[in-house]
Amino acid sequence: MRFLFVASSFFLSALLLGGCAQLQPQAQSQGQSQPAARAAGINDAAAKIRNAFQRDLAMCSDIIRRIGMDRAFIDGFLPAGNREAASMASLIQKSPHAQTPEYLYLLNNPDTIDVGVSYHGHPWAVAWVENEAIYCAPTLERMQDIEALGESAEAWQVREFFLDKALQHSESSGGDASDANKIRQGEFQTLVQQASQRYTGGQRPQFLAWVSKAIDIIERQRSEETVDAPAGSALSAIYEKMKRNAPPDERVTFLRGFLEEKR
């Protein structure tokens, strides 16, 4: 009887140990898969936001094309008093084109697409109604949403769009502060500094490549804007000396600081 009890206890212990041995690798496997699953989920979310942003850009052109065919909407939208007194939805509802895909997309994405009026330009604008002051531009909403997920190639693509636009419309040293289409020095530096702080890992080389590209563009533009005196003229040497002694553009000085950091 005692032998049977001992044998039974031994057999039960073996079963329990065997079960634990089978469960332990499974538990470890599940633990190891959770970070990978989370990363995959973040990547999927980032890709969806990036795709939505690209869709916004494409739809801006379609929206502007639709507005260009809608004279009644243009006449109702241009006066500032009308825009202040009525919402975009109410203005569109008066249009015979109200149920078109373009207008519906605009109404369904009020936080990510900006359609407005500007007689001085708009730095983020990707499309304008021909011969009118109506523009369509993405807002910063998608960029903020995708960067909240962390650094990724998809997030960098969205950030780079705004960096390129900011560079294109950035105010040069001694620029005209009254130009409403310009990105001020402080705004430009903030956008670039934010990018530097957010892209410190796998996307850092892309950020630094953008910095190098931006410096080249600014210096080429400055060179093209410099008036050259006719070769051999008395003013030629004076102009050449002025070009050599001209102070660097503040944007270039600022951007070169990021390249110095990696040395």
Side-chain angles (χ1 to χ4, degrees), residues 24-224:
Q24 186 173 3
Q26 183 179 357
Q28 290 177 347
S29 176
Q30 289 176 349
Q32 292 170 353
S33 67
Q34 287 177 358
R38 182 175 181 275
I42 292 175
N43 291 339
D44 288 345
K48 287 179 180 178
I49 296 174
R50 186 273 317 276
N51 293 344
F53 178 74
Q54 293 176 338
R55 177 69 171 158
D56 289 344
L57 297 183
M59 285 303 298
C60 254
S61 297
D62 294 342
I63 290 167
I64 287 299
R65 194 158 41 245
R66 173 61 61 188
I67 292 175
M69 297 185 291
D70 193 347
R71 189 69 241 175
F73 176 83
I74 293 174
D75 292 341
F77 189 65
L78 282 175
N82 289 2
R83 297 195 305 277
E84 293 170 359
S87 65
M88 175 68 77
S90 63
L91 290 172
I92 287 178
Q93 285 170 1
K94 297 176 183 178
S95 168
H97 304 269
Q99 295 303 310
T100 58
E102 298 86 0
Y103 279 158
L104 291 176
Y105 191 90
L106 174 60
L107 293 177
N108 290 332
N109 295 275
D111 296 330
T112 64
I113 293 183
D114 172 30
V115 170
V117 175
S118 174
Y119 294 91
H120 305 286
H122 189 289
W124 308 142
V126 294
W128 291 83
V129 176
E130 187 174 2
N131 299 322
E132 301 290 352
I134 300 175
Y135 67 85
C136 182
T139 70
L140 299 177
E141 186 80 12
R142 303 277 194 205
M143 185 179 74
Q144 293 166 351
D145 289 346
I146 197 170
E147 288 187 340
L149 299 175
E151 182 177 357
S152 67
E154 293 82 4
W156 170 251
Q157 290 172 11
V158 178
R159 168 67 67 163
E160 187 176 25
F161 168 87
F162 288 103
L163 288 176
D164 285 343
K165 281 287 193 178
L167 175 64
Q168 178 185 354
H169 296 280
S170 61
E171 182 184 53
S172 61
S173 299
D176 184 2
S178 65
D179 190 344
N181 191 37
K182 290 295 184 183
I183 297 289
R184 302 288 175 257
Q185 289 281 350
E187 296 174 277
F188 177 73
Q189 291 184 9
T190 296
L191 278 170
V192 178
Q193 190 67 52
Q194 287 175 345
S196 178
Q197 293 169 350
R198 284 171 170 76
Y199 298 93
T200 59
Q203 300 304 308
R204 189 67 179 181
Q206 282 70 21
F207 168 74
L208 294 176
W210 181 88
V211 169
S212 296
K213 178 188 74 172
I215 292 172
D216 290 343
I217 290 173
I218 294 170
E219 291 184 330
R220 185 170 65 251
Q221 288 174 342
R222 290 193 73 191
S223 177
E224 292 171 353

Side-chain angles (χ1 to χ4, degrees), residues 230-259:
S233 70
L235 294 176
S236 179
I238 297 176
Y239 278 127
E240 189 61 34
K241 183 177 180 180
M242 288 174 61
K243 286 201 297 187
R244 287 198 307 269
N245 295 335
D249 191 294
E250 292 178 15
R251 295 169 297 173
V252 171
T253 303
F254 168 73
L255 291 169
R256 280 182 176 153
F258 296 104
L259 301 180

